[in-house]
């Protein structure tokens, strides 16, 4: 099966290339990137020199396509593919939100709202069946992946009050490859900062998906605050919510009971691991795992869940490949089973 | 005035030496450190080679002493000084808590509980007068300094519900100079992790001091979660609490009103700055400032405050010097006015 | 084929486990480590949780063994295996040097000098045939791998005077997992330093192997200076030597001619790439490549070669697996063909 | 005395501001920067918020000016000041080289070659008297400062052959604040690379100044190779040259003899310290020291000298202030005596 990557020249694009070039059931036959068109992929990205492809301006005919373009450009680029019935996995925000939400958060009229109803939100663990049946996947954002997976079991069991706080810490690669003073080495190295305090674009995905987990409950009121930390890869999300009265046994027993609920919820999931000790982002470096550590602040009666992912893998390219595996009927872990690289 | 540092060989100890050696009104005459006794200070710490002192096993006679020993050892070491009437600034936890709280959180009977009533909690901005009148200062922990200063104005004005979350991100120097796999370079570099999920020892200070700001209100229920981030210095604390109904004007006006309350609260404070944009820890590297950015998540009706300090300066040695200035009647900023080093 | 790792708990050990667990022709059946004996491998190293092994005190029966013990302990541990005819790849220094050199550089009488003559130096590109025929491999040190591969073509063609300088910059993982102030995060972060200025133990390997490349020439006089740089993985070696008169065409033509000699020398090598632009260590993160950029300082008439490897892969575990592939008759790249992870 | 900074918005510019704002004998009255003109200095650089200045488009009248503009723009900007007799310290390359060398290395005709003869090379330790008598200082580059100070004593005493290698490792701030993929966080973090292999612009300064130290000897043939390492500040230069026969006692005695020569050479220098142990760049973070460790590779008969500076202080802004102190008759260490910040 021939697959292509639209806009290979960003960090999600190269990560897709890295994963797809070793996938046993697909052949990466085409990569595009306007700024680097005509150059060998390995000249622009030496770590991909084993892939013998020239970056093209436009996509050749393929059986399935990934888009790693920014929002708006992505919808415009994949529209003809969607129309032609080519399966598409879009890692941009373009097919994640309803048209009104898209307008509200991205300040744009959606370029092709008629296709939104076909799109499936590609958070594999929550939408496995719809993904398998779809030809247009909106691959989730990196922050939502870490937050939703951390909170879904608690939401599902109705353990928590709707007031939720998600405090996320991300490596700098999440900000992409476009030059900016905010990602200039000397400005971000040895520093932590919060950003998007007025509201980050990943918030509506988080809120909607958490509500979907338990649609009978009230819509959660999520405060989501992202932070930039001086490392290249990884997201750690710390999630907080008040436990409902009697939702769990009292005292320390609550922790064990919670842990069991989480383990049951994710039993059999190849890429979610409920850990016995608080995880480090480093334990996911380069692989598709989401590590989740749920606990209870017994003094305050509060749920605390910490989750870790590699923002470019489970938070982007890896999840896209996981979704492709489902769409194509491949075993879900195909091409994604290499352990993280540590240290 | 002759001053000495007990246990100069940790990071708070050397930071005290760095600040005191240039203080115009005191003379650093003695530094101790058992493991390095007999060595020149500049041989152990080359950046302090301009200080011509030999590390001693025991403290000489001084007019005022700083202790940078770990808890328990510190109380034992400063007891004779306290008895002799020598003013002491203790950067350990030994004089921060009541005897029962100390027992509960540190698992030890307090070595000299009879002196606890003399001790003043050295968070300068909240206890200026008591500090000036005291001879025994419990210098606050680094996390509490960042959290309490971030939340004190909101507490003071009764803006928030008692459910409070403090999510702190700290550089690795906060873990000290003692060898540990958790601070081994290859283990922590390029990684973020949460720790002390079962409750961190800095929690009782935070809770008590926030309550003291508005003793008429209920005791806050604080969930405090510290995180280790891959950088040497700095703490950023993100603090969250639900706003009380009608505590602030509705909509975006809440943000401006909040900001004004914070500016008024800290007006004239030389080391607290309410910033117009979200701060970075890097903006405090090496100096005694606490930068605070208060805002409101208007959608969720929630207070969000971000604060930054250098954990070794305002979070330790700098605040100790600030307290000493008060105790000695020096202008409060003496020896502490160098700008941060950026980038 | 059953393989085992002696002392899995260091960084070379876990890297061997990471590579071997996905190798299609071997089965990792046993890992040892005294300090962690009895614990699940995945509990000590969460990134290896997919490997279902318990760390043992002693090695079970295996068909081939890797030792990742420190020197001296390693020779002692593998001696019974060697005696029993089990193929062994030793990543320590124990079988790299002659007994007198070992005594001179490690200050010890060799524990089993009788086996030194059987040992083959496992720098694959220079000793492929001997490795394939051997049952005891001394896997080269990380620095020698980068230095020897960088200089071998120039030595082979007799291009350079015997005065050679190798200036190497290494990530901190090269110093291992043992706690030390020199690898304590806050001490090494944001700092570069040189070490072993009195002579590093990897020097005799470098000198001997370079001489072996052209035994008819004089023994080179190598000055080798290692540096610690604040990153986890990677070695970049910058190598300098005066060009012999007329060894290359004059002027800029020398550069192209040199490059061609290097490309010819390494033609067909799967893990050595002569690059068109100066490489970054990051381009080898996690994989087995050695990237080499040879050039000429035309003004000074000097050869300058820059090489990059991942110190834990081509500089350790990866090269060991490459050697194993040769010994077992597997294709040389088996289990080693994943691209580097970038960024 | 009123002083001004032309182009405060780069890293040398802000570092000048940081140092000058606390200098007891000058008043910083004006800072310029076209891109940020009209903004408060503290809004653009929060760490300088204590300096109450607005960034201007053009310089006001001052008694002495620093230029932190790039080359070419700098000469153009300072020309009217030079003509008006205002003392100028230029941190760009514009007054460092002769007009032909400038043309050769910077590819430009010099904008005002008529002033080159007035300019003094501001490497304080080697040109103290000329600096004190001059009104136009060419502040040296960061690399040349570290290399020349490391080698000057050996040159002075005629210890070494003219073949010299300088292998320098620099933090990323040396590349400035202009956006570039080569200083984009995710591209440089966790990576080391060599650059300017075809010849770096700082080479001619190094060669000329080393020759000047011993003009009777041959011009040295210097190979200078700069490397980028993942940290913000600091340069470590490792310098190598063959010792002349009998230049030093044989064996280990050479090391002690060399050390004594170096100590004598720099006796009384406030900012050069010949260290007893190999230095780290971190020991100079934020201050004006150059730490030098000279030794001999006894096996190879080679001089090895390691030097460390903070590239923005002794390698730029600090040395400029040191030169200003000389020009104005202030004690040379005025405003420069704060210890480095460690860790």
């Amino acid at each position: 099966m021939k697959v292509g990557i639209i806009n290979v020249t960003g960090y999600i694009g190269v990560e897709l290339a890295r994963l797809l070039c070793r996938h046993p059931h697909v052949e990466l036959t085409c990569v595009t990137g306007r700024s680097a068109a005509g150059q060998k992929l390995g000249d622009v990205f030496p770590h991909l020199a084993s892939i013998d492809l020239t970056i093209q301006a436009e996509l050749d005919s393929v059986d399935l396509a990934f888009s790693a373009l920014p929002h708006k450009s992505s919808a415009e680029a994949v529209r003809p593919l969607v129309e032609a019935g080519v399966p598409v996995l879009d890692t941009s925000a373009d097919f994640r939100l309803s048209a009104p939400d898209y307008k509200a958060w991205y300040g744009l009229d959606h370029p092709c709202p008629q296709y939104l109803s076909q799109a499936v939100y590609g958070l594999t663990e929550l939408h496995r069946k719809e993904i398998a049946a779809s030809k247009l996947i909106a691959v989730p954002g990196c922050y939502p992946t870490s937050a939703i997976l951390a909170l879904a079991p608690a939401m599902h069991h109705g353990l928590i009050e709707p007031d939720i706080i998600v405090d996320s810490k991300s490596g700098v690669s999440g900000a992409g490859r476009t030059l900016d003073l905010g990602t200039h080495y000397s400005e971000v190295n040895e520093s932590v900062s919060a950003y998007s305090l007025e509201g980050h674009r990943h918030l509506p995905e988080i809120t909607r998906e958490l509500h979907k987990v338990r649609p009978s409950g009230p819509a959660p009121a999520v405060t989501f605050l992202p932070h930039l930390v001086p490392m290249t890869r990884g997201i750690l999300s710390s999630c907080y919510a008040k436990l409902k009265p009697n939702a769990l046994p009292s005292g320390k027993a609550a922790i064990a009971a919670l842990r069991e609920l989480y383990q049951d919820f994710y039993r059999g999931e190849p890429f979610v691991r409920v850990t016995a000790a608080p995880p480090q982002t480093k334990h996911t470096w380069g692989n598709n795992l989401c590590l989740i550590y749920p606990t209870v602040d017994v003094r305050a009666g509060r749920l605390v869940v910490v989750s870790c992912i590699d923002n470019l893998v489970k938070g982007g390219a890896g999840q896209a490949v996981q979704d492709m595996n489902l769409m194509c009927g491949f075993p879900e872990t195909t091409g994604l089973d290499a352990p993280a690289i540590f240290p």
Side-chain angles (χ1 to χ4, degrees), chain A residues 5 7-15 17-18 31-33 35-36 39-53 55 177:
Chain A
I5 300 166
N7 198 35
V8 75
T9 57
Y11 291 142
I12 294 288
V14 288
E15 198 66 350
R18 178 177 76 84
V31 296
T32 78
S35 64
Q39 293 186 263
K40 299 283 294 178
L41 181 58
D43 288 348
V44 184
F45 295 100
H47 72 295
L48 298 179
S50 60
I51 304 176
D52 186 23
L53 286 175
I55 299 170
R177 206 168 179 240

Side-chain angles (χ1 to χ4, degrees), chain A residues 242-264:
Chain A
K242 198 86 183 167
L243 284 166
K244 285 190 192 154
N246 305 317
L248 291 173
S250 66
K252 298 244 165 181
I255 298 174
L258 177 72
R259 195 173 149 69
E260 209 177 302
L261 289 179
Y262 267 69
Q263 284 177 320
D264 286 346

Side-chain angles (χ1 to χ4, degrees), chain A residues 68-251:
Chain A
L69 281 166
H71 71 270
K72 184 161 185 282
S73 321
S74 193
E76 289 163 0
V78 306
R79 191 200 323 217
L81 297 168
V82 174
E83 283 167 3
V86 178
V88 168
L89 295 112
D90 177 17
T91 67
S92 87
D94 278 346
F95 297 96
R96 294 178 193 157
L97 302 182
S98 68
D101 277 356
Y102 188 81
K103 173 88 181 187
W105 285 92
Y106 290 85
L108 296 167
D109 290 314
H110 196 282
C112 47
Q114 66 275 29
Y115 296 118
L116 284 173
S117 63
Q118 301 180 22
V120 168
Y121 191 70
L123 189 59
T124 330
E125 287 73 15
L126 298 187
H127 300 287
R128 190 167 271 114
K129 279 188 194 163
E130 304 95 298
I131 293 165
S134 174
K135 296 184 98 173
L136 176 56
I137 304 296
V139 182
C142 49
Y143 287 123
T145 297
S146 74
I148 299 164
L149 291 176
L151 288 165
M155 286 299 290
H156 174 76
H157 288 289
L159 303 181
I160 53 177
E161 303 287 354
D163 261 320
I164 293 173
I165 286 158
V166 176
D167 183 297
S168 295
K169 299 89 180 160
S170 174
V172 181
S173 66
R177 206 168 179 240
T178 306
L179 301 183
D180 185 88
L181 197 57
T183 49
H184 192 61
Y185 184 88
S186 300
E187 303 278 322
V188 288
N189 187 37
E190 293 293 298
S191 200
V192 177
S193 57
Y195 66 102
S196 291
L197 282 100
E198 69 295 341
H200 187 280
R201 288 167 166 180
H202 284 174
L203 174 63
E205 287 175 57
I206 297 173
T207 304
R208 183 194 64 204
E209 292 293 316
L210 288 180
H211 196 194
K212 269 195 189 170
V213 172
R214 191 180 179 87
S216 62
V222 180
T223 292
F224 164 55
L225 189 58
H227 300 76
L228 208 59
V229 300
M231 62 184 194
T232 303
R233 286 174 180 240
I235 287 178
L236 182 143
S237 290
S238 308
C239 307
Y240 307 91
K242 198 86 183 167
L243 284 166
K244 285 190 192 154
N246 305 317
L248 291 173
S250 66

